[in-house]
Amino acid sequence: MKIKTIAALAVTTALCAPSAFAGEMANKITAVSWGGAYQKSQIRAYAEPYMKMHPEVEIVWDESSNEAVAKLRAMAEANNITWDIVDVVAADAIRLCDEGLAMEIDPDKDLAPAPDGTPASEDFGDLLVSDCFIPQIVYSTTFGYRTDMVGDTPPTSVCDVFDLEKYPGKRSLEKRPINNMEWALYCDGVAKEDIYDVLATPEGQDRALKKLDTIKDSVIWWSAGADTPQLLADGEVVMGSTYNGRLFSLIEEQKQPVAMLWDMQVFDLDGWIIPAGLPEDRLARVKDFVRFATDTQRLADQAKYISYGPARKSSAPLVGKHADLGIDMAPHMPTDPENAKNTLLYNYEFWADYRDDIDAKFQAWLAQ
Amino acid sequence: MSDLKSTGPQTADAPTPEDAFHEVAALEAKDAQEDIHDERVKGPVLAADGTPLKRSLNRALRMQKMRAMMLIAPLLIFVLITFIFPILQMLWRSVENEIVSQTLPNTVIALEQWDEKSGELPPEDVYAAFVKDMKVAVANKTHTKLGTRLNYEQTGLSSLFRKSGRKIKKWDPETGGPFKEKLIKVNKGWGDVTTWQTIKLHSSPITAGYFLNAVDMRLTPDGVAMQPENKQILLKLFGRTFVMSLVITFACIALGYPVAWLLANLPARSANMLMILVLLPFWTSLLVRTSAWKVMLQQQGVINDTLVWLGLVDDANRLVMINNQFGTIVAMTHILLPFMILPMYSVMQTIPPSYLRAAKSLGATNWTAFWRVYFPQTVPGIGAGSILVFILAIGYYITPEIVGGTKGVFISNRIAYHISSSLNWGLAAALGTILLAVVLILYWAYDKIVGIDNVKLG
């Protein structure tokens, strides 16, 4: 009896579904991402399969994640939100949530459980760093070096970046304090677990800048993720920091004489947020999309196209080979045990507070 | 007499309805005067249809003005909506500070009684008012926004508001008190006098705080003070922006003058060829040209490679020409050069070559002929080009960002940072306002010294 009812219900739902939902869900999604190889991986892993399931849906991409926070704020002030789903780093998601520009989500209700039934909140675990944030990938900021410019003893520690005698030549670092200050303190002898306590004090900040002073004249400061790969390819720098996915394509796809230095890589997260204040029909569609796009299989699929680790625990065993190159992707993941021997996790709370203060000091130091 | 004067200047030109209007007005004024003299009654001048000529002319004029207005209305509305209005709105942000008094209305009133210089914590009623305000703010999710705002003034307040918001959500402001101990227990930030000083100092709906920050100063309980030395950067950047823009302007004059002269004096066919060479880079994307300079100037770049190959530079000591001020000046001079050449060219073209020949035939040397006769006539072109190049240069953003490294960046890069990264739009607006004011002052000074009438754009 009961089974019959359920079956009947299922059938009616299935039959009614197209007509019932057609009026409630918008057929267009404006998704915002970073462009380049990363956006391509999202299109291939989530957007194309979704559009195959729902041929009536059109997904439009906007490459504005770089300025997403500022643009969303401007849209909210103009009361005209044109984006449906936005890919941002976790720190930006926290700020958007703080400003009330992103919608809060309930992971267990809005996101799909793992195939074995584990609720999403457990599957994502600690990576749900904000109430509005739906994590997709774990990436890291780490170093790459020219194998032909370091002699017979390739660097093994992040502190080799600060060693001008052993590795002369230029290095590229990001033109902002985040990550650089942590590496400087670590190489100045601060224990890993004390880094943020030290960095919270003015003395600690001065100490980090003093350490950076030792290599300041040999640093090229980058502001776009593509800068370091280009500088490495041109032989302008011996080593440089950037996102691990960029280095992967430089090494494996463009076959440049560059190798990874995984030591003290800084883990960070990237994921979706849904802007606050979307109309009902668009919200329904985007919720449907995001539930699909962040399920276990889709996150694992993304790793076929780019070397970023899936944010779900249940996706890790499903990571396979690169779709075009045919190489095993697991050893290229920042989360691979071999690569993750010594890592640092981006401290969101700390940088939300200290970002402006330390940035002013850092920029003043740079201008000296 | 005076009536004649008013029509005087127009009589030189072709007559217009306005002339007629002036004349009629003058006549009528004269009539009125005569009326007073001899009581003769005289009707007004009439138009063909019997209405007074003055009125019918007035109407014709109004129609004409309306038609002219309608023609420029699309442009006017466009400029108003897309340019003037956003600028005014942005300028307003540099002083607007309603968020504190709107989010914490009761606290701000309660804090008025508290002496921030006493060094003591505010009394219990401030804490009670604060919890009441926060309860509402947390429900509306505005407390985190306020935390972000106050974090610009005091590091750490962002997380203080976020963390405390979660706790206060569960309290009852009516019966839950006393709150002083309770709040300090939640976070010792609430037991810090400076936290309350910051809230009180920045509670007024209009603030000068952003402008002070924009010139490396800040508000303290004891009045206005300089920022700590290791945070002073903006004044330095303003100074650098002006000095480098001046250098770029002079470089453009020095490089552009001979080219403009050639353009104006070569035979038409070669001048056209040269003109294309000037305009081609002008039409090329800014980003492409900037990136091309990167390829040229970097240490493994074209120029260094050539110098090493020629043996002029040692391979180990390649020249550093990019990611510094030199790189910015070179790239920006190249990009802005057409803005200097074109106005100079259009002025030089109008100078008859016979003037120079006349000077020489009267015994001037080449140099005297150039310096005393030719050059003074080109000054309007130099002036126009310099204004264009200088004003464009001080607002430049993308080229310094790409080739400027750390010592070649401008104030606009900082504005961009505060708009898109730190989201401190108030400070960005204050910096932008200062930049705008400086441009207007320079424009005014230029008008006083050289005279804006002497500027020819073409």
Side-chain angles (χ1 to χ4, degrees), chain B residues 9 23 123 139 243 253 401:
Chain B
E23 271 160 29
V243 171
I253 296 175
E401 181 73 29

Side-chain angles (χ1 to χ4, degrees), chain A residues 77 95 98 236 353 357, chain B residues 93 144 151 159 299-300 421:
Chain A
E77 283 187 11
R95 289 200 295 165
D98 275 359
E236 279 281 300
D353 278 349
D357 185 45
Chain B
R93 276 177 202 279
T144 44
N151 202 63
S159 67
Q299 284 195 291
Q300 306 294 325
S421 291

Side-chain angles (χ1 to χ4, degrees), chain B residues 91-167:
Chain B
L91 298 185
W92 171 240
R93 276 177 202 279
S94 60
V95 290
E96 192 266 348
N97 187 41
E98 280 178 347
I99 181 167
V100 183
S101 51
Q102 269 176 10
T103 317
L104 304 174
N106 297 310
T107 316
V108 169
I109 294 166
L111 271 174
E112 274 170 21
Q113 307 297 322
W114 174 61
D115 177 15
E116 71 269 26
K117 288 180 194 158
S118 64
E120 282 168 30
L121 282 172
E124 167 64 23
D125 63 319
V126 172
Y127 283 89
F130 178 75
V131 171
K132 200 170 148 197
D133 290 336
M134 275 294 271
K135 187 93 184 166
V136 178
V138 172
N140 298 333
K141 289 183 197 142
T142 51
H143 66 299
T144 44
K145 227 181 202 172
L146 179 67
T148 315
R149 160 71 188 99
L150 291 173
N151 202 63
Y152 299 142
E153 311 295 341
Q154 191 194 328
T155 296
L157 289 191
S158 174
S159 67
L160 183 61
F161 273 85
R162 196 179 321 119
K163 283 181 197 159
S164 310
R166 276 181 218 134
K167 292 268 163 53

Side-chain angles (χ1 to χ4, degrees), chain B residues 13 82 134 187 213 279 324 430 434:
Chain B
D13 299 316
T82 62
M134 275 294 271
N187 196 310
N213 284 350
L279 288 178
N324 54 19
I434 293 177

Side-chain angles (χ1 to χ4, degrees), chain A residues 271-308:
Chain A
W272 300 114
I273 60 105
I274 302 173
L278 286 186
E280 283 292 314
D281 58 334
R282 278 165 62 193
L283 184 62
R285 171 61 72 195
V286 89
K287 273 188 162 173
D288 188 59
F289 172 71
V290 88
R291 190 181 176 88
F292 170 80
T294 56
D295 72 10
T296 301
Q297 187 57 46
R298 250 41 65 182
L299 288 185
D301 284 350
Q302 195 182 3
K304 276 191 220 162
Y305 307 104
I306 198 148
S307 66
Y308 294 128

